[in-house]
């Protein structure tokens, strides 16, 4: 009989999870000799490739010796932490990757805490030991301290340590080994990760942890079989989280094999498979034996912490660049998204407005980014944190923030964060002229902070944060300190005007950019908003002073990508998103009306 091992690869963002899965696939002989395989092959969707991050967790299966090892690659970014939490219930062990230089980071702590609370025993993989500044022993100590701080039990504290360079394809049990492959890691997985405990002869119990959608077969649920045997065309019962049950038939059963998904007829307890046949399938649902239904505990679904208003684009340029612009289209698209993305929610408001809630800005901007690629046009409002009430007390989300900055900037950063109600919890020099500072901060204070932070640290600072908990609402946090430079004309921006405006602040546009009245073209150096004219050409006199035009030197405009724009805006401003352009504007375009409204 085949043995199973089910593991998840967890870590802070960029510590090398997907790269390690690549190598595990390669070295288990999953690919044929001449098969060309892309780097980070599991990051299969466009946005994942482009941004070099994992957004959705995905599973794959390899064979090693007599065992089938199901591996779930998880996203490291904090906004997707809730998904990792769900995935952890599907596995019997985790590979906790930690960068041998960066060490323990906020998301390392978040995912490890979740794994420990489920009783999982980690295999600690100190990755990127090939980096010149790697310090594996220090990082092992950090991980040990973290486990102690998280109240790990004795068994969990006896974690095996593997030193690896995923990119180079090797792992070793001791830094002095000369091993050049991943065999020590494969062997540790077989030895250390417990085999599943269910039995193929028990009544069926299976739980869905991710959803997929296919135009032909409909909803597909990726699920772990905890007990029993499942067959194609079998009659089963779907047990929903709210206790409702539905009878139906498994219309399609899909098995995983490397990167392939193959139609199969039967699968057994311990395995991970995909099933179709139920329209009502949701994450957390159980599929059970109708004659002996024993649904599994529903999965904990993380609460959203942030919301953004999506609305129909009503700028003067509305409809010029997008294919889908109406409120109905937006509604349909958002509804479709929520079918498979359970970490997000949306509500319709009035006049073509939709409040979309999720775990963080990245999660929401990824949705917006996907929509613009599909041809949608819409506007976005300032992100707002979700305030909830508990026993009559208003609570807001807090984040654990870790900052790495050159020593010279620590003072500024601490001072700026103080005004955002951040509390410093640790500060340690990391050698090489850098300091690591940890804070606990209301999520509100982080909105708009990144841009400021990058300016203050001249781009040399690195910040990372992940959700901590809901706490009682704290007082006001400081908002953007600079006003906006607003176009007072419709037309096309002219280099000459921009040249004259660039002393006023930082511009977001270059010459030839089409502008409209009320569009924001830059950040004012002062706190107030300023209406400016970016389209005024030079008064042409009869005498053309030769050489004068060439003297115009424009500072390159500040690139306001979607995330930055969204963080930058205030409540009276919007981000206009179209397939081609991101613009920032005032909600009220007319200068007179705007001034009246602000009084
Ligand atoms: N030097 C070095 N770089 C590595 C190693 N492993 C991964 N990297 C690099 O680290 C970067 C991030 O790797 P990924 O595999 O995408 O990291 P990840 O943990 O999957 O990232 P997310 O899924 O976004 O959380 C890539 O540029 C890799 O090439 C390693 O062993 N050594
Ligand atoms: Mg990844």
């Amino acid at each position: 009989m085949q043995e199973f091992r089910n593991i998840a690869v967890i870590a802070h963002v960029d510590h090398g999870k997907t790269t390690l899965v690549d190598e595990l696939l390669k070295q288990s002989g999953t690919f044929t000799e001449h098969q060309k395989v892309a780097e980070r092959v599991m990051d299969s969707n466009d946005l994942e490739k482009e941004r070099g991050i994992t957004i959705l967790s995905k599973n794959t299966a390899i064979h090693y010796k007599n065992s089938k090892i199901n591996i779930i690659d998880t996203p490291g970014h904090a906004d997707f932490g809730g998904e990792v939490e769900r995935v952890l219930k599907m596995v019997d062990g985790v590979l906790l990757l930690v960068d041998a230089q960066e060490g323990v980071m906020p998301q390392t702590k978040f995912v490890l805490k979740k794994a420990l609370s489920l009783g999982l025993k980690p295999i600690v993989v100190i990755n990127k030991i090939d980096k010149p500044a790697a310090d594996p022993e220090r990082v092992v100590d950090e991980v040990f301290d973290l486990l102690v701080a998280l109240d790990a039990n004795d068994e969990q504290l006896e974690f095996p340590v593997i030193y690896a360079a995923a990119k180079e394809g090797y792992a070793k049990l001791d830094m002095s080994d000369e091993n050049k492959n991943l065999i020590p890691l494969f062997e540790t997985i077989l030895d250390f990760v417990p085999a599943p405990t269910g039995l193929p002869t028990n009544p069926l119990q299976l739980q869905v942890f991710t959803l997929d959608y296919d135009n032909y077969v409909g909803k597909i649920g990726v699920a772990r079989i905890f007990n029993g045997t499942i067959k194609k065309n079998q009659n089963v019962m779907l047990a929903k989280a709210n206790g409702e049950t539905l009878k139906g038939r498994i219309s399609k059963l899909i098995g995983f094999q490397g990167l392939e998904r193959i139609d199969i007829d039967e699968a057994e307890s311990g395995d991970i498979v995909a099933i179709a046949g139920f329209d009502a399938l949701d994450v957390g649902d159980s599929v059970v034996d109708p004659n002996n239904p024993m649904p599994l505990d529903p999965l904990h679904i993380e609460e959203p912490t942030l919301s953004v208003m999506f609305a129909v684009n009503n700028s003067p340029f509305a409809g010029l660049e997008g294919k889908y612009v109406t409120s109905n289209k937006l509604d349909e698209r958002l509804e479709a998204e929520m079918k498979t993305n359970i970490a997000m929610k949306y509500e319709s408001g009035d006049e073509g407005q939709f409040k979309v809630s999720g775990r963080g800005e990245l999660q929401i901007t990824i949705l917006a980014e996907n929509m613009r690629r599909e041809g949608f046009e819409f506007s976005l409002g300032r992100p707002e944190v979700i305030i909830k009430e508990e026993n009559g007390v208003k609570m807001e989300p807090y984040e654990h923030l870790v900052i790495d900055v050159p020593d010279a900037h620590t003072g500024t950063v601490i001072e700026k964060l103080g005004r955002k109600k951040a509390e410093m919890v640790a500060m340690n020099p990391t050698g090489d002229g850098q300091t690591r500072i940890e804070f606990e901060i209301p999520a509100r204070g982080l909105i708009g902070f990144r841009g400021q932070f990058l300016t203050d640290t001249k781009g040399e600072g690195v910040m990372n944060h992940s959700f901590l908990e809901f706490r009682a609402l704290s007082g006001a946090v400081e908002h953007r300190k600079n006003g906006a430079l607003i176009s007072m004309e419709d037309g096309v921006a002219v280099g000459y005007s921009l040249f004259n405006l660039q002393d006023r602040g930082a511009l977001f546009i270059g010459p030839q950019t089409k502008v409209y009245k009320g569009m924001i073209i830059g950040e004012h150096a002062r706190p107030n908003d300023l209406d400016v004219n970016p389209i005024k050409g030079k008064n042409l006199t009869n005498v053309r002073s030769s050489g004068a035009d060439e003297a115009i030197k424009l500072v390159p405009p500040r690139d306001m990508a979607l995330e930055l724009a969204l963080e930058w805006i205030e409540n009276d401003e919007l981000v206009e998103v179209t397939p081609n352009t991101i613009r920032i504007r005032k909600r009220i375009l007319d200068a007179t009306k705007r001034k009246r409204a602000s009084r």
Side-chain angles (χ1 to χ4, degrees), residues 34 55 122 149 185 190 194 256-257 259 272 343 362 382 426 429 472 509 533:
H34 41 263
I55 296 169
L185 180 57
L190 289 199
F256 295 91
Q257 175 62 53
L259 302 173
I272 288 175
L362 182 67
R382 183 175 206 266
I509 62 165
N533 184 347

Side-chain angles (χ1 to χ4, degrees), residues 14 16-19 40 43 52-55 73-76:
D14 266 1
K17 298 173 287 298
T18 307
T19 306
R40 294 194 301 257
D43 285 346
I53 57 165
T54 305
I55 296 169
D73 180 26
T74 67

Side-chain angles (χ1 to χ4, degrees), residues 11-20 39-40 43 52-55 73-77 97 127-131 164-168:
H12 184 76
V13 68
D14 266 1
H15 282 193
K17 298 173 287 298
T18 307
T19 306
L20 182 68
E39 230 172 77
R40 294 194 301 257
D43 285 346
I53 57 165
T54 305
I55 296 169
D73 180 26
T74 67
H77 194 283
L97 260 66
N127 189 33
K128 308 199 188 184
I129 53 170
D130 58 302
K131 279 193 183 174
K167 208 166 132 189
E168 313 291 328

Side-chain angles (χ1 to χ4, degrees), residues 580-597:
N580 311 336
T581 327
I582 305 286
R583 299 186 189 91
I584 307 179
R585 55 169 281 196
K586 283 289 173 182
R587 264 177 207 273
I588 303 176
L589 298 178
D590 182 86
T592 322
K593 284 190 189 141
R594 193 164 60 235
K595 275 170 200 136
R596 209 175 294 142

